[in-house]
């Protein structure tokens, strides 16, 4: 309970919302966090009456907590299968970061199931930094995330290069622009993803504004594109998302690409240094499918451990 509470509060940055997600009372979640902090000998969150944020200790431990939970879920699933008298089945845990193009994964998983009918496939939502930790510990078999600097011991292939997109109310003065630069958004109140969910995306966006000599004013974060769109529609500010996460045109909003240096980011597929046959097959399916309908040949077998750009 303690680890699950820690991860959920870290994602929500709100004890009430975390308790609702866990279907527990808020005092139960608060007690779980206090027990975990006591066992670790340090605070995981800064807490005030208005704001919850991760401490340095919390930031450092969050990827390990994600990886440990993924391993625990795999252990529980295998245990239930064995207790039910089923033969032991190989499990592939597939992690995906928020805002990645999950439609791509949905198209590939049925094909993987056809190739490996006796395998249990377990999708897990997990930030990119946590995926790297879990891949090194071999608690997940494959991840889909965002480009980041440290991929030591992990193989990475670029699935797509995604542009940052602005979600602008149709009546906003900027709504008529074909593209928007960081300087044009410098005085705007912006809504985007929480840093603890996608630190790589936040760092890339910060770089775009820094290079453009602009002020990045993020006034609110939300853990889904639909939530960002709702705040934009309510007049809170201008939303920032990535192209692959926008699978439809939100009503009443314009979607406008950002232009300038660092206004795009690579979506990557991540595997361990020695991936399993199933992980390799899924990676190749993802690469082939992401290449688009005009590509009918198998993906290139060339493997690269990226120095992924930042």
């Amino acid at each position: 309970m303690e680890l699950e509470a820690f991860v959920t509060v870290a994602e929500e940055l709100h004890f009430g919302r975390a308790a609702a997600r866990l279907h527990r009372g808020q005092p139960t979640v608060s007690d779980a966090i206090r027990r975990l902090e006591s066992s670790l000998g340090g605070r995981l969150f800064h807490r005030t009456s208005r704001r919850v944020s991760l401490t340095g200790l919390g930031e450092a431990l969050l990827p390990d907590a994600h990886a440990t939970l993924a391993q625990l879920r795999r252990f529980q699933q295998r245990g239930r299968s064995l207790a039910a008298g089923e033969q032991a089945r190989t499990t592939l845990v597939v992690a995906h970061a928020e805002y990645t193009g999950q439609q791509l994964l949905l198209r590939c998983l049925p094909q993987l199931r056809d190739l490996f009918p006796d395998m249990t496939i377990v999708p897990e939502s997990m930030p990119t930094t946590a995926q790297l930790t879990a891949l090194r510990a071999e608690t997940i078999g494959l991840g889909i995330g965002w480009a980041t600097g440290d991929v030591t011991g992990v193989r990475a292939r670029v699935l797509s290069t995604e542009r940052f997109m602005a979600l602008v109310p149709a009546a906003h003065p900027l709504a008529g622009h074909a593209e928007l630069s960081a300087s044009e958004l410098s005085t705007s109140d912006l809504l985007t993803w929480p840093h603890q969910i996608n630190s790589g995306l936040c760092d890339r966006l910060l770089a775009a504004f820094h290079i453009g000599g602009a002020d990045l004013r993020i006034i609110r974060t939300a853990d889904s594109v639909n939530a960002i769109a709702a705040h934009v529609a309510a007049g809170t500010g201008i939303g920032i998302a990535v192209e692959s996460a926008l699978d439809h045109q939100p009503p009443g909003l314009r979607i406008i690409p950002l232009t300038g240096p660092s206004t795009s980011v690579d979506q990557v597929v991540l595997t361990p240094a020695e991936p399993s046959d199933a992980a390799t097959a899924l990676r190749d399916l993802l690469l082939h499918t992401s290449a688009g309908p005009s590509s009918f040949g198998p993906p290139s077998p060339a493997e690269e451990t990226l120095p992924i750009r930042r």
Side-chain angles (χ1 to χ4, degrees):
M1 172 61 189
E2 285 86 356
L3 275 182
E4 193 173 19
F6 168 47
V7 168
T8 308
V9 174
E11 290 176 349
E12 295 289 345
L13 292 183
H14 190 283
F15 277 79
R17 290 196 298 268
R21 267 182 58 183
L22 293 169
H23 305 289
R24 303 292 180 92
Q26 186 170 328
T28 302
V29 174
S30 297
D31 287 345
I33 296 297
R34 278 193 288 269
R35 288 195 301 272
L36 183 57
E37 289 176 330
S38 177
S39 68
L40 294 171
R43 298 287 296 275
L44 296 169
F45 297 98
H46 297 297
R47 282 165 276 195
T48 69
S49 59
R50 298 172 61 102
R51 189 168 180 265
V52 175
S53 61
L54 283 162
T55 64
L57 178 64
E59 288 271 9
L61 290 178
L62 185 57
D64 298 281
H66 275 285
T68 302
L69 279 177
Q71 187 173 21
L72 176 61
R73 291 189 186 107
R74 186 174 64 175
F75 168 79
Q76 291 171 332
Q77 187 164 29
R78 184 167 183 270
R80 284 193 291 267
S81 296
L82 291 173
E86 299 176 9
Q87 289 186 342
R89 301 181 69 184
T90 305
T91 299
L92 177 68
V93 180
V94 179
H96 52 90
E98 295 292 336
Y99 297 93
T100 52
Q102 294 182 22
Q103 294 299 319
L104 176 65
L105 182 60
L106 290 176
R107 288 200 297 271
C108 293
L109 286 180
Q111 299 174 65
L112 183 69
R113 193 171 60 244
D114 290 341
L115 292 171
F116 296 89
D118 295 327
M119 172 170 286
T120 300
I121 304 168
V122 183
E124 286 275 351
S125 178
M126 187 180 295
T128 304
T129 51
Q131 290 181 30
L132 295 171
T133 300
L135 285 163
R136 294 182 188 116
E138 298 184 355
T139 57
I140 65 173
L142 180 141
I144 302 173
W146 298 104
T148 187
D150 179 17
V151 291
T152 305
V154 173
R155 293 178 182 266
R157 295 283 298 276
V158 175
L159 282 173
S160 61
T161 298
E162 304 290 339
R163 295 184 71 177
F164 290 128
M165 312 294 283
L167 280 69
V168 183
H172 194 280
L174 296 176
H177 289 230
E179 294 181 320
L180 288 170
S181 66
S183 60
E184 288 172 307
L185 294 173
S186 185
T187 60
S188 301
D189 293 333
L190 301 179
L191 304 97
T192 190
W193 49 82
H195 185 272
Q196 72 276 8
I197 288 180
N198 272 311
S199 58
L201 286 178
C202 284
D203 293 343
R204 189 75 175 175
L205 187 63
L206 179 62
F209 276 72
H210 178 75
I211 293 169
D215 180 26
L216 178 62
R217 295 173 53 187
I218 297 176
I219 63 162
R220 183 182 289 272
T221 60
D223 59 3
S224 73
V225 172
N226 287 338
I228 290 175
H231 284 295
V232 173
T236 307
I238 290 175
I240 303 291
V242 286
E243 188 174 8
S244 64
L246 294 163
D247 55 5
H248 67 283
Q249 174 89 31
L253 305 183
R254 289 280 324 282
I255 298 175
I256 305 173
L258 270 60
T259 185
S262 293
T263 53
S264 64
V265 63
D266 289 333
Q267 184 178 184
V268 294
V269 56
L270 303 163
T271 56
E274 297 183 5
S276 67
D277 290 344
T280 300
L282 179 55
R283 179 205 61 196
D284 291 347
L285 284 168
L286 289 164
L287 289 168
H288 177 58
T289 305
S290 69
S294 61
S295 177
F296 294 102
S300 168
E303 193 73 66
E304 58 177 326
T305 299
L306 296 176
I308 296 182
R309 61 182 186 176
R310 218 340 118 243

